[in-house]
Amino acid sequence: MQKYIYLLGIGLIWGSQFIFNELALKSVSSISVAASRALIGAITLAVILWITNQNGLQVVNSQVSHSFRLWKRFL
């Protein structure tokens, strides 16, 4: 039964995105919607990483310092 509740929850979350996108695109441009969704996703992932307090951030920092030129290209 718990699996069906999870499935229903995921369906509601994913399905609601279509409704919210339709409403958002009526009032703002598509680039603004895409940028805001990417920003919300990045903030959410940063908060999850901060809450879980994984030591993965130290690994990322050491890799970034060694490959700064590559990250500069991404920016």
Side-chain angles (χ1 to χ4, degrees):
M1 184 66 175
Q2 187 177 7
K3 292 179 183 180
Y4 291 115
I5 294 173
Y6 286 148
L7 182 62
L8 179 65
I10 290 172
L12 287 173
I13 290 170
W14 284 348
S16 66
Q17 293 302 314
F18 294 106
I19 295 169
F20 291 135
N21 275 335
E22 183 179 344
L23 294 174
L25 288 173
K26 288 180 181 178
S27 59
V28 294
S29 70
S30 59
I31 293 176
S32 298
V33 172
S36 63
R37 288 182 68 185
L39 181 64
I40 290 169
I43 291 170
T44 302
L45 289 175
V47 167
I48 290 171
L49 180 64
W50 182 70
I51 288 173
T52 58
N53 198 13
Q54 300 283 333
N55 289 332
L57 189 58
Q58 293 172 353
V59 173
V60 170
N61 284 338
S62 66
Q63 290 173 355
V64 168
S65 63
H66 293 299
S67 61
F68 183 68
R69 284 185 229 148
L70 179 64
W71 281 99
K72 227 163 79 173
R73 289 182 191 171
F74 288 141
L75 293 175

